[in-house]
């Protein structure tokens, strides 16, 4: 069973892959793969177009973003239909996570970019004869490489940030979900983006690797740890910056004072939304012994309410990629062999032809199981009982990943302390998964979950080259530090050192 099937062609022909719906396995068409020459051509076109785009003022650059948000609002159903065709997501989920979040991001960057990227005067604390201006200019051409789990949002959002900062963009969407990438390109064209400022190349890993080598000025990569490492190596060789938004194994900690009804619903949503294919999915739960029975019972009750389906109203869709379904199966099998109990699901859904895995709850799990150590990226919720919060914290941090985390307690103070103690790029108290969707929130991982931050102010600054311009305010004949070096100058500097940093009044003034 394959959703992406590589086709054999004649020598010299472009490579092609055949695509099928993950929900029904019905054919979706054939994708022609762009080779390295096509990628270079796209980068060249983007580089030429970037010159005028960078010269445009903020209101001109914000206009396509605002128009794109309006187009999304007016045609939401049409966008959702196309995204669903290649992902099988529930309609409400596609609308909330792909369209609504995208519209919010577009409006935010359209409004705020002018302020965030404005030139600033920064007070100079020592050399009062100088004025410091900090400015932000575009990087040039930004290459964006994206995965299949949120194929529209994860392509549109970084491209909006790059574009409003004055860059042009070459997007390489996942070969699993190329039509969502096409949808982003169509949206930008209809929103009035000048030709060449946004370019789309289609293909698989080879096309992505070609983009990294094609002379772009930055790579924004979202995907797996293994590919991220290859991308980082290539960026290192080419000495270009990159952000790497990689996988996660997000822990959930349930304290003894948690609101268990909300925590159980949050666990089920956090683990099963988008069929568990969210980088910030809840992938492992640590629940304090005193409340473990009650919490687990509620989780099972909530899971039993979920409707899996392929059309109409349903909560859980299919896995989007066939290999990912194999990973889910392997993790559950490994857990069961090592002694885990299946409390719900635990198998492919026999009612469907497509890539459906039943929402699965496991307990009696241990840290030597794949399901507690490696990213499962599917609808699986392993629950582990712990003595107390200290043990939960130690286990949460016993992971090579560090993307997101969630903690559940009635005390917001305790929740914040715990969130700070977890080794992760982001954390949530009494909620889950939403960190990428809150536009202002800088997003990214620690450890193997990634490098750099996207979104919000930091995301926009990351799309810019920050430059210091130091301006002499006085215009004296010569600076004291300039030649010639004399014993008098040395003595004068020592006096300054002693006065400014050697006395308490001096330190206070400095
Ligand atoms: P993947 O790494 O297989 O592919 C991601 C993209 O990289 C695709 O477009 C692919 O064609 C391309 N690619 C593959 N080889 C390449 C190479 N050598 N050079 C350049 N590009 C190459 O990931 P996936 O299976 O599409 O996505 C799932 C993964 O993405 C999960 O691990 C998930 O956690 C992660 N993810 C992370 C975030 C985040 O923000 N941290 C968000 C969504 C998904």
């Amino acid at each position: 069973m394959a959703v992406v099937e590589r086709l054999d062609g004649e020598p010299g022909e472009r490579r092609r892959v055949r695509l099928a719906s993950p929900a029904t396995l019905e054919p979706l068409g054939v994708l022609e793969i762009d080779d390295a020459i096509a990628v270079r051509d796209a980068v060249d076109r983007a580089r030429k177009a970037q010159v005028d785009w960078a010269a445009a003022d903020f209101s001109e650059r914000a206009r396509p973003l605002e128009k794109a948000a309006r187009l999304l609002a007016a045609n939401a159903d049409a966008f959702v239909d196309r995204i669903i065709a290649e992902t099988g997501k529930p309609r409400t989920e596609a609308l909330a996570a792909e369209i609504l979040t995208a519209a919010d991001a577009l409006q935010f960057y359209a409004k705020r970019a002018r302020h965030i990227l404005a030139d600033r005067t920064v007070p100079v604390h020592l050399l009062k004869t100088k004025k410091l201006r900090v400015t932000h200019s575009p990087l040039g051409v930004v290459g964006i490489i994206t995965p299949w789990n949120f194929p529209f949002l994860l392509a549109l959002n970084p491209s909006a940030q790059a574009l409003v900062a004055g860059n042009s963009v070459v997007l390489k969407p996942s070969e699993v979900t190329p039509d969502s990438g096409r949808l982003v390109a169509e949206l930008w064209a209809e929103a009035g983006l000048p030709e060449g400022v946004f370019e789309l190349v289609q293909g698989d890993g080879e096309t992505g690797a070609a983009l990294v080598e094609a002379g772009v000025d930055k790579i924004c990569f979202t995907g797996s740890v293994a590919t991220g490492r290859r991308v980082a190596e290539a960026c290192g060789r080419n000495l270009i910056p990159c952000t790497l938004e990689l996988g996660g194994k997000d822990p959930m900690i349930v304290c003894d004072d948690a609101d268990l009804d909300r925590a159980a619903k949050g666990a089920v949503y956090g683990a099963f939304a988008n069929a568990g294919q969210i980088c910030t999915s809840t992938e492992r739960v640590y629940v304090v012994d005193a409340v473990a029975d009650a919490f687990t019972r509620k989780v099972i009750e909530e899971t039993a309410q979920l409707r899996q389906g392929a059309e109409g109203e349903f909560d859980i869709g299919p896995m989007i990629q066939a290999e990912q379904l194999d990973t889910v199966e392997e993790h559950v099998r490994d857990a069961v062999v090592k002694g885990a109990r299946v409390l719900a699901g635990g198998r492919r859904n026999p009612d469907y032809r497509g890539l459906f895995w039943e929402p699965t709850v496991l307990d009696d799990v241990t840290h030597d199981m794949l399901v507690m150590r490696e990213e499962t990226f599917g609808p699986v919720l392993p629950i582990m009982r712990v003595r107390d919060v200290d043990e939960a914290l130690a286990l949460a941090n016993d992971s090579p990943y560090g993307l997101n985390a969630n903690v559940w307690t009635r005390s917001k103070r305790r929740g914040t302390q715990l969130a700070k103690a977890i080794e992760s790029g982001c954390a949530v108290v009494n909620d889950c998964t939403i960190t990428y969707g809150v536009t202002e929130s800088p997003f990214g991982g620690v450890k193997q979950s990634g490098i750099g931050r996207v979104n919000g102010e930091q995301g926009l600054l990351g799309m810019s080259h920050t430059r210091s311009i130091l301006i002499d305010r006085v215009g004296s004949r010569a600076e004291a530090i300039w030649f010639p070096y004399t014993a008098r100058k040395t003595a004068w500097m020592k006096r300054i050192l002693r006065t400014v940093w050697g006395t308490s009044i001096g330190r206070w003034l400095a």
Side-chain angles (χ1 to χ4, degrees):
M1 187 190 328
V3 170
V4 178
E5 183 193 347
R6 284 163 219 289
L7 299 174
D8 294 329
E10 297 298 318
E13 267 184 8
R14 283 172 82 184
R15 287 194 304 117
R16 293 178 307 145
V17 294
R18 185 184 291 135
L19 299 162
S21 153
T24 61
L25 302 188
E26 295 298 323
L28 287 177
V30 170
L31 177 72
E32 294 220 325
I33 304 288
D34 282 322
D35 62 11
I37 296 170
V39 172
R40 279 208 177 262
D41 289 347
V43 172
D44 286 348
R45 287 193 296 275
R47 186 161 304 286
K48 285 196 188 92
Q50 195 260 340
V51 178
D52 287 345
W53 182 244
D57 66 19
F58 276 114
S59 47
E60 220 173 307
R61 298 209 297 250
R63 221 169 286 138
L65 276 72
E66 282 164 346
K67 179 142 188 224
R70 288 201 301 278
L71 287 166
L72 282 181
N75 307 297
D77 278 335
F79 281 91
V80 165
D81 287 343
R82 297 248 309 256
I83 296 166
I84 289 177
E86 59 183 8
T87 61
K89 286 172 194 251
R91 181 160 284 275
T92 313
E93 205 161 86
L95 191 65
E98 303 262 20
I99 306 299
L100 214 141
T101 315
D104 178 52
L106 288 165
Q107 196 62 42
F108 174 84
Y109 295 113
K111 262 196 193 160
R112 302 283 297 154
R114 173 193 298 276
H115 171 73
I116 293 170
L117 298 177
D119 292 0
R120 289 200 166 82
T121 298
V122 177
V124 179
H125 78 277
L126 182 61
L127 294 175
K128 298 295 182 202
T129 56
K130 307 294 172 199
K131 176 175 163 175
L132 175 61
R133 295 283 285 167
V134 174
T135 69
H136 306 285
S137 29
L139 296 167
V141 182
V142 176
I144 298 177
I145 301 174
T146 53
W148 42 259
N149 62 330
F150 290 101
F152 183 73
L153 176 72
L154 293 179
L156 184 68
N157 187 22
S159 58
Q161 294 170 47
L163 291 168
V164 81
N167 305 286
S168 56
V169 165
V170 180
L171 168 71
K172 205 297 285 173
S174 169
E175 65 276 25
V176 182
T177 50
D179 195 45
S180 297
R182 212 171 287 129
L183 205 49
V184 171
E186 289 169 17
L187 178 63
W188 284 130
E190 208 181 331
L193 204 63
E195 209 168 305
V197 172
F198 180 89
E199 289 282 330
L200 176 71
V201 292
Q202 293 279 18
D204 51 16
E206 272 184 49
T207 315
L211 180 56
V212 184
E213 303 288 347
V216 294
D217 299 291
K218 175 171 182 163
I219 288 287
C220 292
F221 173 81
T222 311
S224 63
V225 173
T227 312
R229 193 168 272 133
R230 282 198 287 277
V231 168
E233 281 167 7
C235 287
R237 204 168 353 89
N238 287 295
L239 276 185
I240 52 171
C242 60
T243 49
L244 303 175
E245 296 298 320
L246 308 180
K249 189 74 199 165
D250 293 1
M252 168 177 187
I253 296 180
V254 186
C255 301
D256 53 5
D257 66 341
D259 173 342
L260 293 186
D261 287 326
R262 184 172 165 84
K265 280 181 192 294
V268 168
Y269 179 77
F272 301 144
N274 207 35
Q277 303 158 111
I278 309 183
C279 55
T280 56
S281 283
T282 298
E283 290 241 345
R284 48 199 173 114
V285 177
Y286 304 102
V287 54
V288 169
D289 231 345
V291 294
D293 283 341
F295 170 79
T296 308
R297 197 174 54 247
K298 286 173 194 290
V299 166
I300 296 166
E301 284 164 13
E302 291 293 332
T303 306
Q305 307 293 319
L306 296 173
R307 299 154 300 170
Q308 193 154 38
E311 54 192 336
E313 262 188 17
F314 62 93
D315 306 304
I316 314 287
M319 302 293 298
I320 298 170
Q321 197 213 30
E323 288 81 355
Q324 201 63 48
L325 181 57
D326 297 339
T327 303
V328 170
E329 192 157 36
E330 185 197 353
H331 284 198
V332 172
R333 194 186 314 119
D334 171 80
V336 170
V337 166
K338 290 176 179 158
R341 276 195 308 153
V342 177
L343 303 182
R347 57 173 193 168
R348 289 180 191 231
N349 189 326
D351 297 339
Y352 297 95
R353 280 183 69 213
L355 311 179
F356 288 87
W357 186 268
E358 291 182 354
T360 296
V361 181
L362 303 172
D363 82 349
D364 289 346
V365 292
T366 53
H367 255 223
D368 63 340
M369 297 175 183
L370 292 175
V371 80
M372 297 302 275
R373 303 216 63 83
E374 292 182 9
E375 187 182 41
T376 307
F377 216 55
V380 180
L381 181 62
I383 302 175
M384 186 166 177
R385 289 155 187 262
V386 290
R387 217 175 29 252
D388 52 26
V389 166
D390 288 344
E391 188 185 5
L393 186 59
L395 288 166
N397 287 340
D398 175 22
S399 171
Y401 294 97
L403 189 57
N404 200 45
N406 52 94
V407 300
W408 302 74
T409 161
R410 282 199 165 83
S411 158
K412 293 190 181 73
R413 188 153 167 268
R414 184 187 194 195
T416 309
Q417 275 170 354
L418 251 179
K420 281 168 82 171
I422 298 176
E423 293 160 3
S424 64
C426 321
V428 191
V429 179
N430 294 332
D431 201 341
C432 53
T433 77
I434 57 163
T435 31
Y436 187 94
V438 175
T439 308
E440 294 84 348
S441 151
F443 182 81
V446 298
K447 301 200 256 186
Q448 291 190 11
S449 289
I451 294 178
R453 293 291 176 267
V454 296
N455 297 351
E457 186 167 333
Q458 284 197 34
L460 268 194
L461 291 171
M463 294 295 185
S464 311
H465 163 55
T466 300
R467 190 194 331 248
S468 302
I469 301 178
L470 203 61
I471 305 156
D472 179 59
R473 294 164 62 185
V474 181
S476 58
R477 234 182 95 237
E479 292 289 320
I481 182 75
W482 292 358
F483 300 131
Y485 295 152
T486 60
R488 222 173 121 227
K489 269 190 192 173
T490 311
W492 170 75
M493 270 179 223
K494 280 186 182 163
R495 246 189 343 268
I496 290 188
L497 251 175
R498 277 198 303 272
T499 316
V500 179
W501 294 285
T503 63
S504 43
I505 180 103
R507 279 194 299 274
W508 181 74
L509 282 171

